[in-house]
């Protein structure tokens, strides 16, 4: 299944919800630790990673980007 997303009205980025690692109380407000914004260029890299925590998913995405850059050189 595709990543859980919420689009920005400008359609230039989307928020992706990864596996939550924190239980929030019902009255909690703020930015959850599992929600991260991605531009349209990097959004496809989130596919298949939403079962990971945001930190682990971002580590994998950074590794992919580093490998892609190294392969292009």
């Amino acid at each position: 299944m595709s990543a859980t997303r919420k689009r920005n009205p400008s359609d230039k980025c989307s928020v992706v919800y990864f596996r939550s690692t924190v239980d929030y109380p019902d009255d909690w407000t703020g930015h959850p630790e599992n929600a991260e914004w991605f531009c349209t260029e990097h959004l496809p890299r989130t596919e298949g990673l939403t079962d990971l925590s945001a930190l682990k998913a971002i580590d994998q995405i950074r590794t992919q980007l580093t490998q892609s850059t190294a392969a292009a050189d």
Side-chain angles (χ1 to χ4, degrees):
M1 176 162 188
S2 66
T4 303
R5 301 177 187 165
K6 187 179 235 180
R7 290 227 177 254
N8 181 334
S10 73
D11 208 32
K12 293 183 180 179
C13 56
S14 296
V15 67
V16 177
Y17 293 90
F18 297 95
R19 181 179 51 81
S20 183
T21 59
V22 175
D23 288 326
Y24 297 100
D26 290 338
D27 61 347
W28 183 85
T29 59
H31 183 81
E33 48 56 63
N34 65 321
E36 295 293 338
W37 285 98
F38 287 87
C39 66
T40 54
E41 177 185 349
H42 294 108
L43 186 62
R45 295 189 179 270
T46 65
E47 294 294 327
L49 299 179
T50 57
D51 59 325
L52 301 175
S53 70
L55 290 176
K56 287 184 180 181
I58 290 170
D59 279 345
Q60 284 196 18
I61 292 167
R62 283 186 179 134
T63 299
Q64 291 172 5
L65 290 169
T66 301
Q67 290 171 347
S68 295
T69 302
D73 288 340

